[in-house]
Short mmCIF file of all heavy atoms in Angstrom, two decimals:
data_model
loop_
_atom_site.label_atom_id
_atom_site.label_comp_id
_atom_site.label_asym_id
_atom_site.label_seq_id
_atom_site.Cartn_x
_atom_site.Cartn_y
_atom_site.Cartn_z
N LEU A 1 80.75 142.97 64.64
CA LEU A 1 80.02 143.78 65.61
C LEU A 1 79.86 145.22 65.12
O LEU A 1 78.77 145.81 65.24
CB LEU A 1 80.73 143.76 66.96
CG LEU A 1 80.11 144.61 68.07
CD1 LEU A 1 78.67 144.17 68.36
CD2 LEU A 1 80.96 144.54 69.35
N GLN A 2 80.91 145.79 64.56
CA GLN A 2 80.83 147.17 64.06
C GLN A 2 79.81 147.27 62.92
O GLN A 2 79.08 148.25 62.82
CB GLN A 2 82.21 147.64 63.59
CG GLN A 2 83.17 147.93 64.73
CD GLN A 2 84.57 148.20 64.22
OE1 GLN A 2 85.15 147.39 63.51
NE2 GLN A 2 85.12 149.35 64.58
N ASN A 3 79.78 146.27 62.06
CA ASN A 3 78.81 146.27 60.97
C ASN A 3 77.38 146.22 61.50
O ASN A 3 76.50 146.94 61.02
CB ASN A 3 79.06 145.09 60.03
CG ASN A 3 80.06 145.42 58.94
OD1 ASN A 3 79.71 146.02 57.92
ND2 ASN A 3 81.30 145.02 59.15
N VAL A 4 77.14 145.40 62.51
CA VAL A 4 75.81 145.31 63.09
C VAL A 4 75.41 146.64 63.72
O VAL A 4 74.27 147.10 63.57
CB VAL A 4 75.74 144.17 64.12
CG1 VAL A 4 74.37 144.15 64.82
CG2 VAL A 4 75.99 142.82 63.45
N LEU A 5 76.35 147.28 64.40
CA LEU A 5 76.07 148.55 65.07
C LEU A 5 75.71 149.66 64.09
O LEU A 5 75.08 150.65 64.48
CB LEU A 5 77.28 148.98 65.92
CG LEU A 5 77.43 148.22 67.24
CD1 LEU A 5 78.79 148.46 67.85
CD2 LEU A 5 76.33 148.63 68.22
N HIS A 6 76.06 149.50 62.81
CA HIS A 6 75.66 150.49 61.81
C HIS A 6 74.14 150.61 61.72
O HIS A 6 73.62 151.61 61.23
CB HIS A 6 76.23 150.12 60.44
CG HIS A 6 77.68 150.43 60.30
ND1 HIS A 6 78.44 150.09 59.20
CD2 HIS A 6 78.54 151.07 61.14
CE1 HIS A 6 79.68 150.50 59.36
NE2 HIS A 6 79.77 151.09 60.53
N GLY A 7 73.43 149.62 62.23
CA GLY A 7 71.97 149.71 62.26
C GLY A 7 71.45 150.80 63.17
O GLY A 7 70.28 151.18 63.08
N ARG A 8 72.30 151.34 64.03
CA ARG A 8 71.88 152.41 64.93
C ARG A 8 72.27 153.81 64.43
O ARG A 8 71.95 154.81 65.09
CB ARG A 8 72.52 152.21 66.33
CG ARG A 8 72.13 150.91 67.00
CD ARG A 8 70.64 150.72 67.09
NE ARG A 8 69.99 151.72 67.95
CZ ARG A 8 68.68 151.83 68.09
NH1 ARG A 8 67.87 151.03 67.41
NH2 ARG A 8 68.16 152.73 68.89
N LEU A 9 72.95 153.90 63.30
CA LEU A 9 73.44 155.19 62.83
C LEU A 9 72.31 156.20 62.62
O LEU A 9 72.49 157.40 62.85
CB LEU A 9 74.23 155.02 61.53
CG LEU A 9 75.59 154.32 61.67
CD1 LEU A 9 76.23 154.13 60.30
CD2 LEU A 9 76.52 155.11 62.59
N GLY A 10 71.16 155.73 62.19
CA GLY A 10 70.04 156.63 61.95
C GLY A 10 69.48 157.26 63.21
O GLY A 10 68.72 158.23 63.14
N TYR A 11 69.86 156.73 64.37
CA TYR A 11 69.39 157.26 65.65
C TYR A 11 70.41 158.18 66.31
O TYR A 11 70.14 158.73 67.37
CB TYR A 11 69.09 156.11 66.61
CG TYR A 11 67.92 155.25 66.20
CD1 TYR A 11 68.09 154.18 65.33
CD2 TYR A 11 66.63 155.51 66.67
CE1 TYR A 11 67.03 153.38 64.95
CE2 TYR A 11 65.56 154.72 66.30
CZ TYR A 11 65.77 153.66 65.43
OH TYR A 11 64.71 152.87 65.05
N MET A 12 71.59 158.34 65.69
CA MET A 12 72.68 159.06 66.33
C MET A 12 72.89 160.44 65.72
O MET A 12 72.55 160.69 64.58
CB MET A 12 73.97 158.23 66.21
CG MET A 12 73.89 156.88 66.92
SD MET A 12 75.22 155.74 66.46
CE MET A 12 76.65 156.65 67.05
N SER A 13 73.48 161.33 66.51
CA SER A 13 73.85 162.65 66.01
C SER A 13 75.02 162.51 65.04
O SER A 13 75.70 161.47 65.00
CB SER A 13 74.27 163.56 67.17
OG SER A 13 75.47 163.09 67.77
N GLY A 14 75.25 163.56 64.27
CA GLY A 14 76.32 163.53 63.28
C GLY A 14 77.68 163.21 63.86
O GLY A 14 78.42 162.37 63.35
N ILE A 15 78.03 163.88 64.96
CA ILE A 15 79.34 163.69 65.58
C ILE A 15 79.50 162.25 66.09
O ILE A 15 80.52 161.59 65.85
CB ILE A 15 79.55 164.69 66.75
CG1 ILE A 15 79.59 166.12 66.20
CG2 ILE A 15 80.83 164.36 67.49
CD1 ILE A 15 80.75 166.40 65.27
N LYS A 16 78.49 161.76 66.79
CA LYS A 16 78.57 160.40 67.33
C LYS A 16 78.66 159.36 66.23
O LYS A 16 79.39 158.37 66.35
CB LYS A 16 77.37 160.11 68.23
CG LYS A 16 77.43 160.79 69.59
CD LYS A 16 76.33 160.29 70.50
CE LYS A 16 76.49 160.86 71.91
NZ LYS A 16 75.45 160.33 72.83
N SER A 17 77.93 159.57 65.15
CA SER A 17 77.96 158.60 64.06
C SER A 17 79.30 158.61 63.35
O SER A 17 79.81 157.55 62.95
CB SER A 17 76.83 158.88 63.06
OG SER A 17 76.99 160.15 62.45
N ILE A 18 79.90 159.79 63.19
CA ILE A 18 81.20 159.90 62.52
C ILE A 18 82.27 159.14 63.28
O ILE A 18 83.10 158.42 62.70
CB ILE A 18 81.61 161.38 62.35
CG1 ILE A 18 80.72 162.06 61.31
CG2 ILE A 18 83.09 161.50 61.95
CD1 ILE A 18 80.89 163.57 61.24
N PHE A 19 82.24 159.25 64.60
CA PHE A 19 83.28 158.62 65.42
C PHE A 19 82.86 157.26 65.98
O PHE A 19 83.62 156.65 66.74
CB PHE A 19 83.68 159.57 66.56
CG PHE A 19 84.40 160.81 66.10
CD1 PHE A 19 83.75 162.02 66.00
CD2 PHE A 19 85.74 160.74 65.73
CE1 PHE A 19 84.40 163.16 65.55
CE2 PHE A 19 86.40 161.87 65.28
CZ PHE A 19 85.74 163.08 65.19
N GLY A 20 81.69 156.80 65.61
CA GLY A 20 81.25 155.49 66.06
C GLY A 20 81.06 155.40 67.56
O GLY A 20 81.42 154.39 68.18
N LEU A 21 80.50 156.45 68.15
CA LEU A 21 80.32 156.49 69.60
C LEU A 21 78.96 155.89 69.98
O LEU A 21 78.00 156.59 70.26
CB LEU A 21 80.43 157.95 70.10
CG LEU A 21 81.76 158.66 69.77
CD1 LEU A 21 81.71 160.11 70.20
CD2 LEU A 21 82.93 157.94 70.45
N TYR A 22 78.90 154.58 69.97
CA TYR A 22 77.65 153.87 70.23
C TYR A 22 77.39 153.76 71.72
O TYR A 22 78.31 153.65 72.54
CB TYR A 22 77.70 152.47 69.62
CG TYR A 22 77.89 152.47 68.12
CD1 TYR A 22 79.14 152.21 67.57
CD2 TYR A 22 76.83 152.73 67.26
CE1 TYR A 22 79.32 152.21 66.19
CE2 TYR A 22 77.00 152.73 65.89
CZ TYR A 22 78.25 152.48 65.36
OH TYR A 22 78.42 152.49 64.00
N GLU A 23 76.10 153.75 72.06
CA GLU A 23 75.71 153.56 73.44
C GLU A 23 76.00 152.12 73.88
O GLU A 23 75.93 151.19 73.08
CB GLU A 23 74.21 153.87 73.62
CG GLU A 23 73.79 155.27 73.25
CD GLU A 23 74.33 156.32 74.22
OE1 GLU A 23 74.65 155.95 75.37
OE2 GLU A 23 74.43 157.50 73.82
N GLU A 24 76.32 151.95 75.16
CA GLU A 24 76.60 150.61 75.68
C GLU A 24 75.39 149.70 75.49
O GLU A 24 75.53 148.50 75.20
CB GLU A 24 76.97 150.69 77.16
CG GLU A 24 77.70 149.47 77.67
CD GLU A 24 79.03 149.24 76.96
OE1 GLU A 24 79.70 150.22 76.60
OE2 GLU A 24 79.36 148.06 76.75
N GLU A 25 74.19 150.26 75.62
CA GLU A 25 72.97 149.49 75.43
C GLU A 25 72.88 148.94 74.01
O GLU A 25 72.44 147.81 73.79
CB GLU A 25 71.75 150.35 75.74
CG GLU A 25 70.42 149.63 75.59
CD GLU A 25 69.23 150.54 75.84
OE1 GLU A 25 69.43 151.72 76.17
OE2 GLU A 25 68.09 150.07 75.70
N ASP A 26 73.30 149.75 73.03
CA ASP A 26 73.28 149.31 71.64
C ASP A 26 74.26 148.17 71.42
O ASP A 26 73.97 147.21 70.68
CB ASP A 26 73.60 150.47 70.69
CG ASP A 26 72.51 151.52 70.66
OD1 ASP A 26 71.35 151.18 70.98
OD2 ASP A 26 72.81 152.68 70.33
#
């Protein structure tokens, strides 16, 4: 699941991407 969520990293801010703070929708 974490690997799949990496597909959203390009849509996230630097801080959120560093800490893996994905949206529930994602």
Side-chain angles (χ1 to χ4, degrees):
L1 178 59
Q2 287 172 305
N3 272 279
V4 175
L5 284 167
H6 284 174
R8 299 306 295 174
L9 290 177
Y11 293 86
M12 298 166 63
S13 67
I15 295 296
K16 285 189 174 183
S17 63
I18 289 171
F19 292 101
L21 302 175
Y22 299 101
E23 300 291 338
E24 199 61 35
E25 181 183 357
D26 292 336

